[in-house]
Amino acid sequence: MLAAHYCSRVPFFAILLFIGVFFILAYPLRYSTRLFDLFNNQVRPLVLRPAAGSATVYPFKTYATASSAMAQATFMKPPQAPPTFTGTKESIVADTNKIIEKSRSLQDSLAKDVKPDNANFKNIPEELAQDENSMSLSSHILGFYQAVSANKELRDASTEADKMLDEFSIESSMREDIYKRVEAVFQNKENLEPEQQRFLEKVRKGYIQNGLNLPAGPKRDRFREIKMKLSQLSIQFQKNLNEESGGLWFSKEELDGVPEEVVDDLEKGEGEHAGKLRLTYKYPHLFPVLKYAANAVTRKTLAIHNENKCMDNVDLFKQAIVLRDEAARLLGYPTHAAFRIEDKMAKDPNSVDEFLGDLRTRLTPIAEKELDVLRQLKKSDLESKGQEFDGNYYVWDHRYYSRIQLERDYQVDQQRISEYFPLQTTLAKMLNIFEELLGLKFVEVRGEDRAAISPTGKGDDIVWHEDVQLFSVWDDEGEGGGFVGYLYTDLHPRLGK
């Protein structure tokens, strides 16, 4: 499959790298100890071989610990069932209403039963945190369909659910009655654990940054309007990207140089497009063509059309910039950037500008040297084809000539390297690395095993698409063998995703 061949590209590895970094940051002592132990173990070379069907064997090696070649883990029934993905267009909206009403009811009860003079961490911030936790999984799934479902009705219903949840979030974050109780807890100066104190400060700051330091009246009302509008713009912006399905038709000659497995996978034209092939703007089409198409016009056409897809989003973006600036000024900040960065390490936009300016000064001479090499490479390539070089190096040139430079100067052929990384083998090896580094065990859940753990008894109900792979995740025996959670992979592009 096309996506399988290009599994070694950035999106796939980035996801798995994120998983590994997340675990290390979440449990630094545990995993730093494992890393130390791992690198003190004896290592041995592991020879990689190309996927079946490849004729050439290359002397390419990597390294792994002696224990990393693990046997296939056997299925164990987890103590916790996975969530189900059985929503309908009606149930998604109905379930969203139920979640919202339950949370609103809790907030109403807190405002009624807890007076400011007897508010404390346990009966206000902790209650709010527990409520947020209880609704987070369900609300995430309800909004998740819009990004992954193959059913447009489900995607539309999920988008509507996202709007409802965002509007409720804004409503909750601007409840003055709850804010007064949070402020009372803050002023009481309870003897809290550091984590509790930090959480209380963040909750309080959240209410302030949502306009509750503004006096009730026109300014606060305008701030609420802006928040609502920004939410709508953000959801519509993302929906436009998710629903984007554009593409271009090219002749096979215009795709000269593009790998055969990419070309063979393209839609064949009929009628007015007979004899042509359709390229979408999805990365399994976009990246290989920009990297391998010898025809500069093809690369230029695809690059420009890709950069100009979803043109409706331009106006949405402009509106968002203006509204963000207005909201920041209502809160007393000079710019949206100052508002956003206040709680970050840099503290103010000037620090960021100075840092980036310093980077630019240091890196520009290096970049110019590298660009001169690539520009000369383009000149030589065009002259060898009897074409004129205009002295320019365009954005649609970069992937193409960077790839040629790798092959010419460093003998790196990414096409041949990719033969060592078929999708399922690569996924298994990456998870094996995480097992070794993080003390985990990944067990794929398939077939009857899915039905065994499904709350409905149907295995298909615990994934949102047939392409999805599901893994139960456990600590290894050295870490106690306990159940950690579930990992899903959904690696193939499709309409609506």
Side-chain angles (χ1 to χ4, degrees):
M1 291 296 293
L2 176 65
H5 184 81
Y6 286 94
C7 72
S8 61
R9 302 307 187 256
V10 171
F12 176 65
F13 279 123
I15 293 169
L16 293 176
L17 178 61
F18 170 79
I19 295 170
V21 171
F22 170 80
F23 276 109
I24 292 171
L25 292 178
Y27 307 99
L29 179 60
R30 167 178 168 178
Y31 295 126
S32 61
T33 302
R34 290 192 64 88
L35 285 170
F36 178 81
D37 291 341
L38 177 66
F39 287 110
N40 276 279
N41 285 340
Q42 182 180 3
V43 295
R44 59 177 174 80
L46 175 65
V47 179
L48 294 182
R49 301 191 182 280
S54 300
T56 311
V57 177
Y58 304 98
F60 181 82
K61 295 182 179 180
T62 186
Y63 289 91
T65 63
S67 62
S68 67
M70 299 178 64
Q72 175 65 37
T74 56
F75 174 74
M76 299 179 292
K77 186 172 183 179
Q80 176 183 333
T84 58
F85 299 89
T86 56
T88 65
K89 64 178 182 179
E90 294 83 12
S91 71
I92 288 174
V93 174
D95 289 346
T96 303
N97 277 318
K98 289 178 184 177
I99 291 173
I100 289 172
E101 287 307 314
K102 181 180 178 182
S103 183
R104 183 182 286 124
S105 176
L106 172 71
Q107 293 175 40
D108 290 344
S109 296
L110 293 178
K112 178 183 177 182
D113 300 336
V114 181
K115 305 305 179 185
D117 56 1
N118 65 354
N120 56 48
F121 184 85
K122 186 173 183 62
N123 63 21
I124 293 296
E126 188 172 309
E127 285 287 339
L128 295 173
Q130 294 289 356
D131 177 56
E132 182 179 352
N133 286 342
S134 68
M135 68 182 292
S136 62
L137 177 59
S138 297
S139 60
H140 176 75
I141 291 175
L142 292 169
F144 186 56
Y145 289 103
Q146 66 183 299
V148 297
S149 177
N151 185 317
K152 188 176 186 307
E153 289 187 341
L154 284 187
R155 295 199 301 272
D156 290 343
S158 179
T159 299
E160 181 60 29
D162 217 15
K163 290 179 183 177
M164 295 164 62
L165 289 165
D166 266 17
E167 289 173 2
F168 175 68
S169 176
I170 294 168
E171 172 195 318
S172 298
S173 66
M174 296 189 71
R175 285 193 62 151
E176 189 168 16
D177 51 0
I178 301 296
Y179 169 59
K180 287 180 178 178
R181 285 147 181 80
V182 171
E183 181 66 24
V185 176
F186 181 79
Q187 296 299 336
N188 286 343
K189 307 296 182 184
E190 285 184 63
N191 185 22
L192 301 174
E193 294 292 329
E195 293 86 355
Q196 294 174 319
Q197 183 64 37
R198 173 62 176 154
F199 178 71
L200 174 60
E201 292 169 358
K202 289 186 69 176
V203 171
R204 175 177 179 266
K205 187 66 174 287
Y207 282 105
I208 292 172
Q209 290 186 331
N210 277 288
L212 289 181
N213 63 331
L214 298 173
K219 282 190 175 182
R220 189 185 293 183
D221 292 342
R222 175 56 183 161
F223 187 84
R224 181 191 295 269
E225 290 176 9
I226 291 173
K227 292 284 288 184
M228 289 291 189
K229 183 62 176 177
L230 283 172
S231 170
Q232 295 166 9
L233 291 173
S234 175
I235 291 171
Q236 186 59 51
F237 188 98
Q238 187 60 53
K239 180 177 175 61
N240 290 345
L241 289 175
N242 291 343
E243 298 292 330
E244 190 280 319
S245 59
L248 297 168
W249 293 94
F250 291 98
S251 67
K252 193 164 185 178
E253 291 72 26
E254 290 172 314
L255 298 177
D256 180 47
V258 178
E260 288 185 10
E261 58 268 30
V262 177
V263 174
D264 291 344
D265 196 62
L266 298 177
E267 177 186 345
K268 310 302 188 292
E270 299 178 355
E272 63 177 312
H273 299 300
K276 293 191 174 184
L277 302 165
R278 188 174 188 270
L279 281 172
T280 71
Y281 305 129
K282 305 299 183 183
Y283 72 84
H285 292 169
L286 180 69
F287 292 168
V289 173
L290 292 178
K291 185 176 289 187
Y292 290 100
N295 189 325
V297 175
T298 297
R299 300 196 307 272
K300 175 182 177 180
T301 302
L302 181 61
I304 290 176
H305 278 80
N306 176 63
E307 292 299 322
N308 286 278
K309 67 187 178 186
C310 298
M311 288 301 292
D312 290 346
N313 279 357
V314 174
D315 182 59
L316 301 182
F317 190 64
K318 289 179 179 178
Q319 291 183 58
I321 291 174
V322 173
L323 290 172
R324 285 175 171 178
D325 182 73
E326 184 182 352
R329 293 177 190 278
L330 283 172
L331 294 177
Y333 296 89
T335 62
H336 176 71
F339 165 68
R340 292 293 295 174
I341 207 169
E342 181 182 51
D343 294 328
K344 306 297 189 295
M345 185 182 296
K347 300 302 181 185
D348 64 81
N350 287 337
S351 298
V352 177
D353 289 339
E354 290 174 5
F355 174 73
L356 294 176
D358 180 59
L359 277 181
R360 184 182 185 89
T361 300
R362 293 168 183 265
L363 295 178
T364 295
I366 301 172
E368 288 292 348
K369 289 181 181 178
E370 293 182 359
L371 190 58
D372 285 342
V373 173
L374 291 167
R375 191 181 288 113
Q376 185 59 44
L377 179 58
K378 178 182 177 180
K379 180 176 183 293
S380 299
D381 177 54
L382 292 178
E383 289 176 350
S384 70
K385 298 174 181 177
Q387 300 175 17
E388 185 178 349
F389 176 51
D390 63 6
N392 294 310
Y393 187 81
Y394 301 103
V395 65
W396 52 84
D397 291 327
H398 189 63
R399 287 183 183 272
Y400 181 73
Y401 287 106
S402 291
R403 188 262 306 172
I404 291 178
Q405 183 187 37
L406 282 174
E407 294 176 355
R408 185 195 69 178
D409 297 344
Y410 305 101
Q411 292 76 53
V412 175
D413 187 332
Q414 295 184 350
Q415 278 293 102
R416 290 188 171 185
I417 290 175
S418 68
E419 295 174 7
Y420 293 89
F421 297 96
L423 179 58
Q424 291 306 317
T425 301
T426 304
L427 176 60
K429 293 296 184 182
M430 290 295 292
L431 293 181
N432 183 256
I433 291 171
F434 290 144
E435 289 180 332
E436 193 73 40
L437 293 180
L438 308 178
L440 298 171
K441 181 163 63 174
F442 297 89
V443 182
E444 185 169 6
V445 185
R446 293 179 289 191
E448 295 180 358
D449 293 336
R450 287 189 180 183
I453 65 173
S454 172
T456 65
K458 298 178 180 179
D460 289 344
D461 289 349
I462 57 175
V463 293
W464 56 88
H465 191 271
E466 61 185 11
D467 288 346
V468 175
Q469 288 179 267
L470 171 62
F471 299 83
S472 60
V473 186
W474 306 76
D475 283 325
D476 65 17
E477 292 183 5
E479 298 294 343
F483 178 65
V484 176
Y486 292 97
L487 170 68
Y488 299 82
T489 66
D490 185 5
L491 304 177
H492 300 279
R494 57 179 175 271
L495 180 64
K497 178 184 174 188

